[in-house]
Amino acid sequence: MYLTRARPDTAQQRSGSGKLPGTVFALGTVSLLTDISAEMITAFMPVYLIYTLQLSYVQFGFLDGLYNGATAMLRLVGGYVADRSRRPKLVALTGYGTSTLTKLAFPMVGASGFGIGAVLATDRAGKGLRTAPRDALISLATPPDRLGRAFGVHRSMDTVGALLGPLVTFWILHELGSGSSPVFVVSFCFALLGLIVLAAFVRERDPGPRRTEAPVSLRACAGLLADRRIRRITLAAGLLGLVTVSDAFVYLVLQRTTGVPFEVLPLLPLGTALVFLLAATPVGLLADRIGRWPVFFAGHVALLGVYLLLLPDGGGYPMLAAALVLHGLFYAATDGVLMAYAGPLVPQRLRASGLAVVQTGQAVARLLSSVLFGLLLAAVSMGSAVLIVLTAFVLALTGAAVLVGRKGDS
Amino acid sequence: MRDWLAAHRIALGVLAIVLVVLAGGGYVVGAALDGPAEQGPAGPIARGDLLYIDLAGGQDQVRKTRLDRPDTPAAATGLRCQRVYSAGGTTVCLRLAGPGPSYEAAVLDSGNRVIRTVGLPGVPNRARVSESGNIVSWTTFVTGDSYLTPGGFSTRTGVLDLRTGTLVESLEEFATTVAGEPMVAVDRNFWGVTVAADDRTFYATLASQNRTWLVKGDLTARTMHDVWQGAECPSLSPDGGRIAYKKRTSRLGPWALAVLDLRTRQERVLQGTAGIDDQAAWLNADNLAYGGTPDSGKKSTIFTVPADGSAPPEVLIEEAASPVPLR
């Protein structure tokens, strides 16, 4: 039972069967190229700031946290404008375009801490703007019964880009040295390619003639939360986001408790990404079969497993591998699956806004969790901190189960 | 126009992609061919040299000039490092090691042969070798996942004793007290080690919850305790009587270089050094050298400044970092 009026024919097909629309692959390619561009900068930024510019990294981290929080709100704006204008592709283009231009702005602001902060904030603003309309484009182009797989394929392609980006940066540093221009220019080129693919190869559903119904209003968007199921999934995702501690911390503790060498640390995020890449599509397919809410919930149980593995000392590489597999599965079972679950709950004309509401709730909760966890770490030992988080996690899982119900009401 | 664009969307897209790939590829090939060729054979590193990393070409070449005549033409050393230090015949070079990108600390003997490499958990930041050449130390920034989440970074400081081969992977392994109380906060971080002439006593920075302390420690007993507040990246003078360090001029303001007399506990902030973010090096008993950004937009420059604050800093070498005086 879906709230959408579109494609009633496809909704009756057997779950998970049939082809995915080309739009999903085109948007996957856009994300792949954009992620190469973005992750190149991510991998380069520490070297650039500390080494080339000799700037304070600590101060930068603090400012960056603030920008992250501020621009999470821009998802709501992106979603609302996409629905109101009925042109999600145009809003996504604006967001991707903004981020593309920032790659050229870095060399221009040079070593000004404020300038770099502003460029990063603009990049984030672009990311905030584009996310909800992009997910809405996927959600609107795909028959509801294949959404899990569609988002799985999209996130897999996205992750391929995330893995390639640091490799490109390494190659440039190795071959061309640490001069900053090649990294920024090549990153700009990848972003530009993503923009071209989006403009030329992503088809937008024809919005059709404007019907007599009133244009999308802020009131209508706020009214989304009046819908019991949207409200409850937003709350549940937020509640679980509140106990999701930052990946960086998970890796730091894992390296310490498993006793693997320090130098393995930079490679741990790659482990998670690789599992995510391989698992996103099959897990998405599974979500289409057995239900998206149970899979989303199970993903958080996997994260609980990661936190449990943080408790005992020792274990070496097998323990590390087990934790990274669970961590990757957590992402595979939650990231795209949440959008696939939320999509059909939101009326088509409010799709981007609805997805933005759910995403923003989750993002703000995770940001808050980072801050709270930082305070916790300063107060108690690592083992106690992990125990407190574990307890909170069990409570949050219980709360989410009560809120949404065992079958997700759908 | 609009209809024409719509009709030729695919063809235009393919054309645009080809153009971007050609332009980007052309740029990369050009940049690769443009790289400065290394001139002259690599010479040994000797007393009286001033080493630094040349940032101009982006190739991270370690060059050497004369300590007493820094304006003499620089010669190559054959090393490429993100951070370098050398003393007593031992050189430590923090450099790119593999994809990730990941980094390593390479320890070289007086003949520039690599005698040991240690994988680093993050991006190179500080490097030091004790006067005798026996103790090597470094600091790296450990970054987490994408960009930086709040609290998503930390520092790791390692110390290697070449006499015994003992490697301390992190100063967090040492028993630390602040104001007499054991310091166990998980968010504690250490950076910038400087080792005294006895190859045992060391100074470093300890940070937790936005507060920093200068700590004094013992490499053999594996202990340390706080001695001063707000001092970062200490550097012990050749006579062991003074410590130069960077210090915040306000809560979130820039750092300035300060010198503390350990005997009188008098601290002097050196004029004109605002904006420094480096571990200073003692050129001699009276003068310090450090890397800093001159104006926004420029790469790091090496400055020199008298340790008594009697004169403002002067430019020593432009587009350069990591000054290493081989006294």
Side-chain angles (χ1 to χ4, degrees), chain A residues 42 47 51 53 57 59-60 64 123-124 170 176-178 247 262, chain B residues 53 58-60 82 98 103 141 143 145 147-148 156 169 252 293:
Chain A
T42 303
V47 195
Y51 175 62
L53 302 179
Y57 202 51
Q59 211 164 347
F60 171 76
D64 198 55
D123 182 26
R124 290 298 163 67
F170 164 73
L176 306 179
S178 65
D247 291 354
F262 274 57
Chain B
I53 297 172
Q59 296 286 315
D60 314 331
Q82 255 76 54
Y103 298 86
F141 270 107
T143 57
D145 207 2
Y147 281 114
L148 305 145
R156 285 279 165 87
E169 282 197 308
L252 270 176
T293 38

PDB file of all heavy atoms in Angstrom, chain A residues 42 47 51 53 57 59-60 64 123-124 170 176-178 247 262, chain B residues 53 58-60 82 98 103 141 143 145 147-148 156 169 252 293:
ATOM      1  N   THR A  42      39.258  15.496  -0.235  1.00  0.00           N
ATOM      2  CA  THR A  42      39.279  15.006   1.144  1.00  0.00           C
ATOM      3  C   THR A  42      40.636  14.422   1.485  1.00  0.00           C
ATOM      4  O   THR A  42      41.195  14.687   2.547  1.00  0.00           O
ATOM      5  CB  THR A  42      38.204  13.927   1.342  1.00  0.00           C
ATOM      6  OG1 THR A  42      36.953  14.490   0.990  1.00  0.00           O
ATOM      7  CG2 THR A  42      38.158  13.467   2.779  1.00  0.00           C
ATOM      8  N   VAL A  47      47.083  17.273   3.796  1.00  0.00           N
ATOM      9  CA  VAL A  47      48.439  17.572   3.305  1.00  0.00           C
ATOM     10  C   VAL A  47      48.522  19.038   2.921  1.00  0.00           C
ATOM     11  O   VAL A  47      49.498  19.733   3.234  1.00  0.00           O
ATOM     12  CB  VAL A  47      48.761  16.724   2.053  1.00  0.00           C
ATOM     13  CG1 VAL A  47      50.252  16.755   1.768  1.00  0.00           C
ATOM     14  CG2 VAL A  47      48.276  15.314   2.215  1.00  0.00           C
ATOM     15  N   TYR A  51      50.836  20.971   5.294  1.00  0.00           N
ATOM     16  CA  TYR A  51      52.148  20.972   4.672  1.00  0.00           C
ATOM     17  C   TYR A  51      52.368  22.179   3.766  1.00  0.00           C
ATOM     18  O   TYR A  51      53.257  22.987   3.993  1.00  0.00           O
ATOM     19  CB  TYR A  51      52.334  19.659   3.906  1.00  0.00           C
ATOM     20  CG  TYR A  51      53.608  19.608   3.137  1.00  0.00           C
ATOM     21  CD1 TYR A  51      54.827  19.677   3.806  1.00  0.00           C
ATOM     22  CD2 TYR A  51      53.597  19.512   1.765  1.00  0.00           C
ATOM     23  CE1 TYR A  51      56.003  19.652   3.090  1.00  0.00           C
ATOM     24  CE2 TYR A  51      54.777  19.480   1.050  1.00  0.00           C
ATOM     25  CZ  TYR A  51      55.974  19.555   1.715  1.00  0.00           C
ATOM     26  OH  TYR A  51      57.133  19.538   1.021  1.00  0.00           O
ATOM     27  N   LEU A  53      50.397  24.860   3.196  1.00  0.00           N
ATOM     28  CA  LEU A  53      50.022  26.166   3.725  1.00  0.00           C
ATOM     29  C   LEU A  53      50.436  26.356   5.178  1.00  0.00           C
ATOM     30  O   LEU A  53      50.403  27.463   5.682  1.00  0.00           O
ATOM     31  CB  LEU A  53      48.506  26.363   3.601  1.00  0.00           C
ATOM     32  CG  LEU A  53      47.935  26.247   2.184  1.00  0.00           C
ATOM     33  CD1 LEU A  53      46.435  26.443   2.219  1.00  0.00           C
ATOM     34  CD2 LEU A  53      48.565  27.280   1.266  1.00  0.00           C
ATOM     35  N   TYR A  57      45.439  22.779  11.702  1.00  0.00           N
ATOM     36  CA  TYR A  57      44.465  21.753  11.373  1.00  0.00           C
ATOM     37  C   TYR A  57      43.378  21.665  12.439  1.00  0.00           C
ATOM     38  O   TYR A  57      42.218  21.427  12.152  1.00  0.00           O
ATOM     39  CB  TYR A  57      45.210  20.434  11.290  1.00  0.00           C
ATOM     40  CG  TYR A  57      44.530  19.382  10.489  1.00  0.00           C
ATOM     41  CD1 TYR A  57      44.085  19.660   9.216  1.00  0.00           C
ATOM     42  CD2 TYR A  57      44.337  18.122  11.010  1.00  0.00           C
ATOM     43  CE1 TYR A  57      43.478  18.682   8.466  1.00  0.00           C
ATOM     44  CE2 TYR A  57      43.737  17.141  10.268  1.00  0.00           C
ATOM     45  CZ  TYR A  57      43.300  17.417   8.997  1.00  0.00           C
ATOM     46  OH  TYR A  57      42.696  16.456   8.270  1.00  0.00           O
ATOM     47  N   GLN A  59      42.140  24.018  14.420  1.00  0.00           N
ATOM     48  CA  GLN A  59      41.186  25.099  14.281  1.00  0.00           C
ATOM     49  C   GLN A  59      40.247  24.824  13.115  1.00  0.00           C
ATOM     50  O   GLN A  59      39.050  25.022  13.182  1.00  0.00           O
ATOM     51  CB  GLN A  59      41.975  26.372  13.987  1.00  0.00           C
ATOM     52  CG  GLN A  59      41.356  27.622  14.504  1.00  0.00           C
ATOM     53  CD  GLN A  59      42.390  28.729  14.493  1.00  0.00           C
ATOM     54  OE1 GLN A  59      43.577  28.477  14.332  1.00  0.00           O
ATOM     55  NE2 GLN A  59      41.946  29.934  14.654  1.00  0.00           N
ATOM     56  N   PHE A  60      40.842  24.317  12.054  1.00  0.00           N
ATOM     57  CA  PHE A  60      40.084  24.014  10.856  1.00  0.00           C
ATOM     58  C   PHE A  60      39.007  22.966  11.149  1.00  0.00           C
ATOM     59  O   PHE A  60      37.863  23.088  10.744  1.00  0.00           O
ATOM     60  CB  PHE A  60      41.039  23.509   9.786  1.00  0.00           C
ATOM     61  CG  PHE A  60      40.352  22.967   8.594  1.00  0.00           C
ATOM     62  CD1 PHE A  60      39.785  23.812   7.683  1.00  0.00           C
ATOM     63  CD2 PHE A  60      40.240  21.605   8.415  1.00  0.00           C
ATOM     64  CE1 PHE A  60      39.133  23.303   6.602  1.00  0.00           C
ATOM     65  CE2 PHE A  60      39.590  21.091   7.341  1.00  0.00           C
ATOM     66  CZ  PHE A  60      39.029  21.939   6.417  1.00  0.00           C
ATOM     67  N   ASP A  64      35.053  23.367  10.562  1.00  0.00           N
ATOM     68  CA  ASP A  64      34.419  22.458   9.629  1.00  0.00           C
ATOM     69  C   ASP A  64      33.184  21.804  10.243  1.00  0.00           C
ATOM     70  O   ASP A  64      32.184  21.599   9.576  1.00  0.00           O
ATOM     71  CB  ASP A  64      35.428  21.396   9.195  1.00  0.00           C
ATOM     72  CG  ASP A  64      34.984  20.696   7.936  1.00  0.00           C
ATOM     73  OD1 ASP A  64      34.729  21.413   6.958  1.00  0.00           O
ATOM     74  OD2 ASP A  64      34.858  19.471   7.962  1.00  0.00           O
ATOM     75  N   ASP A 123      31.131  24.422  -0.780  1.00  0.00           N
ATOM     76  CA  ASP A 123      31.103  23.055  -1.293  1.00  0.00           C
ATOM     77  C   ASP A 123      30.011  22.261  -0.574  1.00  0.00           C
ATOM     78  O   ASP A 123      29.217  21.552  -1.187  1.00  0.00           O
ATOM     79  CB  ASP A 123      32.484  22.419  -1.072  1.00  0.00           C
ATOM     80  CG  ASP A 123      32.568  21.009  -1.625  1.00  0.00           C
ATOM     81  OD1 ASP A 123      31.811  20.711  -2.569  1.00  0.00           O
ATOM     82  OD2 ASP A 123      33.374  20.218  -1.115  1.00  0.00           O
ATOM     83  N   ARG A 124      29.970  22.407   0.734  1.00  0.00           N
ATOM     84  CA  ARG A 124      28.967  21.718   1.533  1.00  0.00           C
ATOM     85  C   ARG A 124      27.558  22.185   1.187  1.00  0.00           C
ATOM     86  O   ARG A 124      26.614  21.398   1.169  1.00  0.00           O
ATOM     87  CB  ARG A 124      29.185  21.971   3.025  1.00  0.00           C
ATOM     88  CG  ARG A 124      30.380  21.309   3.549  1.00  0.00           C
ATOM     89  CD  ARG A 124      30.230  19.803   3.378  1.00  0.00           C
ATOM     90  NE  ARG A 124      31.509  19.171   3.512  1.00  0.00           N
ATOM     91  CZ  ARG A 124      32.174  19.140   4.652  1.00  0.00           C
ATOM     92  NH1 ARG A 124      31.669  19.687   5.723  1.00  0.00           N
ATOM     93  NH2 ARG A 124      33.341  18.573   4.712  1.00  0.00           N
ATOM     94  N   PHE A 170      46.756  10.040  -4.637  1.00  0.00           N
ATOM     95  CA  PHE A 170      48.064   9.430  -4.377  1.00  0.00           C
ATOM     96  C   PHE A 170      48.916   9.456  -5.638  1.00  0.00           C
ATOM     97  O   PHE A 170      50.093   9.806  -5.596  1.00  0.00           O
ATOM     98  CB  PHE A 170      47.904   7.982  -3.893  1.00  0.00           C
ATOM     99  CG  PHE A 170      49.187   7.203  -3.991  1.00  0.00           C
ATOM    100  CD1 PHE A 170      50.220   7.455  -3.098  1.00  0.00           C
ATOM    101  CD2 PHE A 170      49.379   6.258  -4.981  1.00  0.00           C
ATOM    102  CE1 PHE A 170      51.413   6.764  -3.192  1.00  0.00           C
ATOM    103  CE2 PHE A 170      50.573   5.564  -5.086  1.00  0.00           C
ATOM    104  CZ  PHE A 170      51.600   5.819  -4.188  1.00  0.00           C
ATOM    105  N   LEU A 176      53.508  13.940  -9.522  1.00  0.00           N
ATOM    106  CA  LEU A 176      53.642  15.376  -9.772  1.00  0.00           C
ATOM    107  C   LEU A 176      54.057  16.150  -8.527  1.00  0.00           C
ATOM    108  O   LEU A 176      54.214  17.354  -8.578  1.00  0.00           O
ATOM    109  CB  LEU A 176      52.326  15.945 -10.313  1.00  0.00           C
ATOM    110  CG  LEU A 176      51.746  15.256 -11.547  1.00  0.00           C
ATOM    111  CD1 LEU A 176      50.436  15.907 -11.944  1.00  0.00           C
ATOM    112  CD2 LEU A 176      52.727  15.322 -12.706  1.00  0.00           C
ATOM    113  N   GLY A 177      54.178  15.478  -7.364  1.00  0.00           N
ATOM    114  CA  GLY A 177      54.561  16.182  -6.153  1.00  0.00           C
ATOM    115  C   GLY A 177      53.359  16.796  -5.465  1.00  0.00           C
ATOM    116  O   GLY A 177      52.220  16.626  -5.897  1.00  0.00           O
ATOM    117  N   SER A 178      53.649  17.502  -4.364  1.00  0.00           N
ATOM    118  CA  SER A 178      52.551  17.982  -3.529  1.00  0.00           C
ATOM    119  C   SER A 178      52.076  19.375  -3.915  1.00  0.00           C
ATOM    120  O   SER A 178      51.328  19.998  -3.178  1.00  0.00           O
ATOM    121  CB  SER A 178      52.978  17.970  -2.063  1.00  0.00           C
ATOM    122  OG  SER A 178      54.029  18.897  -1.895  1.00  0.00           O
ATOM    123  N   ASP A 247      32.584   7.767  12.454  1.00  0.00           N
ATOM    124  CA  ASP A 247      33.419   6.685  11.931  1.00  0.00           C
ATOM    125  C   ASP A 247      34.858   6.816  12.412  1.00  0.00           C
ATOM    126  O   ASP A 247      35.499   5.827  12.755  1.00  0.00           O
ATOM    127  CB  ASP A 247      33.420   6.718  10.399  1.00  0.00           C
ATOM    128  CG  ASP A 247      32.075   6.345   9.839  1.00  0.00           C
ATOM    129  OD1 ASP A 247      31.194   5.959  10.634  1.00  0.00           O
ATOM    130  OD2 ASP A 247      31.903   6.441   8.613  1.00  0.00           O
ATOM    131  N   PHE A 262      49.765   0.656  13.945  1.00  0.00           N
ATOM    132  CA  PHE A 262      49.245   2.005  13.750  1.00  0.00           C
ATOM    133  C   PHE A 262      49.070   2.354  12.276  1.00  0.00           C
ATOM    134  O   PHE A 262      48.147   3.042  11.891  1.00  0.00           O
ATOM    135  CB  PHE A 262      50.226   3.015  14.357  1.00  0.00           C
ATOM    136  CG  PHE A 262      50.021   3.252  15.809  1.00  0.00           C
ATOM    137  CD1 PHE A 262      50.064   2.194  16.696  1.00  0.00           C
ATOM    138  CD2 PHE A 262      49.781   4.521  16.287  1.00  0.00           C
ATOM    139  CE1 PHE A 262      49.883   2.401  18.045  1.00  0.00           C
ATOM    140  CE2 PHE A 262      49.591   4.735  17.637  1.00  0.00           C
ATOM    141  CZ  PHE A 262      49.648   3.674  18.519  1.00  0.00           C
TER     142      PHE A 262
ATOM    143  N   ILE B  53      62.975  22.065   2.915  1.00  0.00           N
ATOM    144  CA  ILE B  53      62.211  21.462   1.825  1.00  0.00           C
ATOM    145  C   ILE B  53      61.792  22.568   0.870  1.00  0.00           C
ATOM    146  O   ILE B  53      61.225  23.580   1.284  1.00  0.00           O
ATOM    147  CB  ILE B  53      60.985  20.708   2.353  1.00  0.00           C
ATOM    148  CG1 ILE B  53      61.436  19.542   3.244  1.00  0.00           C
ATOM    149  CG2 ILE B  53      60.132  20.193   1.203  1.00  0.00           C
ATOM    150  CD1 ILE B  53      60.308  18.845   3.964  1.00  0.00           C
ATOM    151  N   GLY B  58      56.874  22.094  -6.069  1.00  0.00           N
ATOM    152  CA  GLY B  58      55.891  21.112  -5.647  1.00  0.00           C
ATOM    153  C   GLY B  58      56.440  19.702  -5.601  1.00  0.00           C
ATOM    154  O   GLY B  58      55.703  18.744  -5.419  1.00  0.00           O
ATOM    155  N   GLN B  59      57.758  19.553  -5.765  1.00  0.00           N
ATOM    156  CA  GLN B  59      58.349  18.217  -5.778  1.00  0.00           C
ATOM    157  C   GLN B  59      58.877  17.792  -4.414  1.00  0.00           C
ATOM    158  O   GLN B  59      59.401  16.701  -4.268  1.00  0.00           O
ATOM    159  CB  GLN B  59      59.491  18.164  -6.809  1.00  0.00           C
ATOM    160  CG  GLN B  59      59.011  18.367  -8.233  1.00  0.00           C
ATOM    161  CD  GLN B  59      58.298  17.139  -8.767  1.00  0.00           C
ATOM    162  OE1 GLN B  59      58.763  16.037  -8.587  1.00  0.00           O
ATOM    163  NE2 GLN B  59      57.163  17.332  -9.413  1.00  0.00           N
ATOM    164  N   ASP B  60      58.796  18.678  -3.433  1.00  0.00           N
ATOM    165  CA  ASP B  60      59.218  18.378  -2.062  1.00  0.00           C
ATOM    166  C   ASP B  60      60.684  17.951  -1.971  1.00  0.00           C
ATOM    167  O   ASP B  60      61.043  17.081  -1.186  1.00  0.00           O
ATOM    168  CB  ASP B  60      58.336  17.280  -1.442  1.00  0.00           C
ATOM    169  CG  ASP B  60      56.873  17.531  -1.684  1.00  0.00           C
ATOM    170  OD1 ASP B  60      56.508  18.712  -1.796  1.00  0.00           O
ATOM    171  OD2 ASP B  60      56.112  16.560  -1.788  1.00  0.00           O
ATOM    172  N   GLN B  82      57.979  15.262   3.171  1.00  0.00           N
ATOM    173  CA  GLN B  82      56.984  16.247   3.590  1.00  0.00           C
ATOM    174  C   GLN B  82      57.471  16.989   4.837  1.00  0.00           C
ATOM    175  O   GLN B  82      57.005  18.073   5.148  1.00  0.00           O
ATOM    176  CB  GLN B  82      55.661  15.559   3.909  1.00  0.00           C
ATOM    177  CG  GLN B  82      54.598  15.747   2.839  1.00  0.00           C
ATOM    178  CD  GLN B  82      54.861  14.862   1.638  1.00  0.00           C
ATOM    179  OE1 GLN B  82      55.015  13.663   1.775  1.00  0.00           O
ATOM    180  NE2 GLN B  82      54.911  15.456   0.459  1.00  0.00           N
ATOM    181  N   GLY B  98      52.450   5.195   0.113  1.00  0.00           N
ATOM    182  CA  GLY B  98      51.577   4.360  -0.703  1.00  0.00           C
ATOM    183  C   GLY B  98      50.207   4.954  -0.850  1.00  0.00           C
ATOM    184  O   GLY B  98      49.936   6.058  -0.370  1.00  0.00           O
ATOM    185  N   TYR B 103      51.747   7.356   4.653  1.00  0.00           N
ATOM    186  CA  TYR B 103      53.079   7.952   4.813  1.00  0.00           C
ATOM    187  C   TYR B 103      53.964   7.073   5.690  1.00  0.00           C
ATOM    188  O   TYR B 103      53.479   6.209   6.407  1.00  0.00           O
ATOM    189  CB  TYR B 103      52.935   9.352   5.434  1.00  0.00           C
ATOM    190  CG  TYR B 103      52.144  10.283   4.556  1.00  0.00           C
ATOM    191  CD1 TYR B 103      50.756  10.324   4.633  1.00  0.00           C
ATOM    192  CD2 TYR B 103      52.772  11.069   3.601  1.00  0.00           C
ATOM    193  CE1 TYR B 103      50.012  11.150   3.790  1.00  0.00           C
ATOM    194  CE2 TYR B 103      52.054  11.895   2.763  1.00  0.00           C
ATOM    195  CZ  TYR B 103      50.663  11.929   2.856  1.00  0.00           C
ATOM    196  OH  TYR B 103      49.951  12.731   2.024  1.00  0.00           O
ATOM    197  N   PHE B 141      49.209  13.796  11.958  1.00  0.00           N
ATOM    198  CA  PHE B 141      47.781  14.052  12.161  1.00  0.00           C
ATOM    199  C   PHE B 141      47.017  12.842  11.671  1.00  0.00           C
ATOM    200  O   PHE B 141      47.166  12.422  10.520  1.00  0.00           O
ATOM    201  CB  PHE B 141      47.333  15.286  11.388  1.00  0.00           C
ATOM    202  CG  PHE B 141      47.460  16.539  12.173  1.00  0.00           C
ATOM    203  CD1 PHE B 141      48.448  17.447  11.884  1.00  0.00           C
ATOM    204  CD2 PHE B 141      46.587  16.799  13.209  1.00  0.00           C
ATOM    205  CE1 PHE B 141      48.567  18.613  12.616  1.00  0.00           C
ATOM    206  CE2 PHE B 141      46.699  17.958  13.951  1.00  0.00           C
ATOM    207  CZ  PHE B 141      47.689  18.868  13.657  1.00  0.00           C
ATOM    208  N   THR B 143      43.638  11.354  10.543  1.00  0.00           N
ATOM    209  CA  THR B 143      42.325  11.828  10.110  1.00  0.00           C
ATOM    210  C   THR B 143      41.386  10.651   9.992  1.00  0.00           C
ATOM    211  O   THR B 143      41.785   9.536   9.723  1.00  0.00           O
ATOM    212  CB  THR B 143      42.418  12.527   8.756  1.00  0.00           C
ATOM    213  OG1 THR B 143      42.994  11.618   7.834  1.00  0.00           O
ATOM    214  CG2 THR B 143      43.267  13.752   8.850  1.00  0.00           C
ATOM    215  N   ASP B 145      37.305   9.548   8.667  1.00  0.00           N
ATOM    216  CA  ASP B 145      36.629   9.354   7.391  1.00  0.00           C
ATOM    217  C   ASP B 145      36.546  10.688   6.651  1.00  0.00           C
ATOM    218  O   ASP B 145      37.337  11.579   6.886  1.00  0.00           O
ATOM    219  CB  ASP B 145      35.245   8.783   7.676  1.00  0.00           C
ATOM    220  CG  ASP B 145      34.734   7.955   6.507  1.00  0.00           C
ATOM    221  OD1 ASP B 145      35.461   7.809   5.515  1.00  0.00           O
ATOM    222  OD2 ASP B 145      33.615   7.491   6.582  1.00  0.00           O
ATOM    223  N   TYR B 147      36.290  14.203   4.979  1.00  0.00           N
ATOM    224  CA  TYR B 147      36.630  15.481   5.580  1.00  0.00           C
ATOM    225  C   TYR B 147      36.904  15.280   7.061  1.00  0.00           C
ATOM    226  O   TYR B 147      37.596  14.364   7.452  1.00  0.00           O
ATOM    227  CB  TYR B 147      35.526  16.521   5.362  1.00  0.00           C
ATOM    228  CG  TYR B 147      35.562  17.133   3.989  1.00  0.00           C
ATOM    229  CD1 TYR B 147      34.530  16.919   3.087  1.00  0.00           C
ATOM    230  CD2 TYR B 147      36.628  17.909   3.576  1.00  0.00           C
ATOM    231  CE1 TYR B 147      34.548  17.476   1.824  1.00  0.00           C
ATOM    232  CE2 TYR B 147      36.652  18.462   2.311  1.00  0.00           C
ATOM    233  CZ  TYR B 147      35.619  18.245   1.443  1.00  0.00           C
ATOM    234  OH  TYR B 147      35.629  18.788   0.195  1.00  0.00           O
ATOM    235  N   LEU B 148      36.312  16.081   7.911  1.00  0.00           N
ATOM    236  CA  LEU B 148      36.588  15.967   9.331  1.00  0.00           C
ATOM    237  C   LEU B 148      35.304  16.181  10.104  1.00  0.00           C
ATOM    238  O   LEU B 148      34.748  17.254  10.071  1.00  0.00           O
ATOM    239  CB  LEU B 148      37.579  17.049   9.740  1.00  0.00           C
ATOM    240  CG  LEU B 148      38.868  17.079   8.958  1.00  0.00           C
ATOM    241  CD1 LEU B 148      39.320  18.497   8.788  1.00  0.00           C
ATOM    242  CD2 LEU B 148      39.879  16.247   9.657  1.00  0.00           C
ATOM    243  N   ARG B 156      49.293  11.645  16.640  1.00  0.00           N
ATOM    244  CA  ARG B 156      50.044  10.524  17.186  1.00  0.00           C
ATOM    245  C   ARG B 156      51.514  10.901  17.137  1.00  0.00           C
ATOM    246  O   ARG B 156      52.005  11.331  16.090  1.00  0.00           O
ATOM    247  CB  ARG B 156      49.843   9.258  16.346  1.00  0.00           C
ATOM    248  CG  ARG B 156      48.507   8.589  16.520  1.00  0.00           C
ATOM    249  CD  ARG B 156      48.478   7.728  17.782  1.00  0.00           C
ATOM    250  NE  ARG B 156      47.104   7.385  18.123  1.00  0.00           N
ATOM    251  CZ  ARG B 156      46.465   6.319  17.633  1.00  0.00           C
ATOM    252  NH1 ARG B 156      47.051   5.522  16.804  1.00  0.00           N
ATOM    253  NH2 ARG B 156      45.231   6.069  17.999  1.00  0.00           N
ATOM    254  N   GLU B 169      55.195   3.795  19.785  1.00  0.00           N
ATOM    255  CA  GLU B 169      54.310   4.187  18.684  1.00  0.00           C
ATOM    256  C   GLU B 169      53.494   5.430  19.022  1.00  0.00           C
ATOM    257  O   GLU B 169      53.111   6.182  18.145  1.00  0.00           O
ATOM    258  CB  GLU B 169      53.394   3.024  18.299  1.00  0.00           C
ATOM    259  CG  GLU B 169      54.117   1.994  17.456  1.00  0.00           C
ATOM    260  CD  GLU B 169      53.172   1.076  16.727  1.00  0.00           C
ATOM    261  OE1 GLU B 169      52.277   0.495  17.373  1.00  0.00           O
ATOM    262  OE2 GLU B 169      53.315   0.939  15.499  1.00  0.00           O
ATOM    263  N   LEU B 252      41.058  31.694  20.407  1.00  0.00           N
ATOM    264  CA  LEU B 252      41.078  31.087  19.076  1.00  0.00           C
ATOM    265  C   LEU B 252      41.935  31.894  18.112  1.00  0.00           C
ATOM    266  O   LEU B 252      41.889  31.715  16.906  1.00  0.00           O
ATOM    267  CB  LEU B 252      39.650  30.954  18.527  1.00  0.00           C
ATOM    268  CG  LEU B 252      38.948  29.631  18.863  1.00  0.00           C
ATOM    269  CD1 LEU B 252      37.526  29.649  18.354  1.00  0.00           C
ATOM    270  CD2 LEU B 252      39.693  28.432  18.310  1.00  0.00           C
ATOM    271  N   THR B 293      53.371  31.214   7.024  1.00  0.00           N
ATOM    272  CA  THR B 293      52.811  31.753   5.789  1.00  0.00           C
ATOM    273  C   THR B 293      52.936  33.264   5.821  1.00  0.00           C
ATOM    274  O   THR B 293      52.481  33.910   6.764  1.00  0.00           O
ATOM    275  CB  THR B 293      51.341  31.361   5.634  1.00  0.00           C
ATOM    276  OG1 THR B 293      50.719  31.417   6.915  1.00  0.00           O
ATOM    277  CG2 THR B 293      51.211  29.966   5.082  1.00  0.00           C
TER     278      THR B 293
END
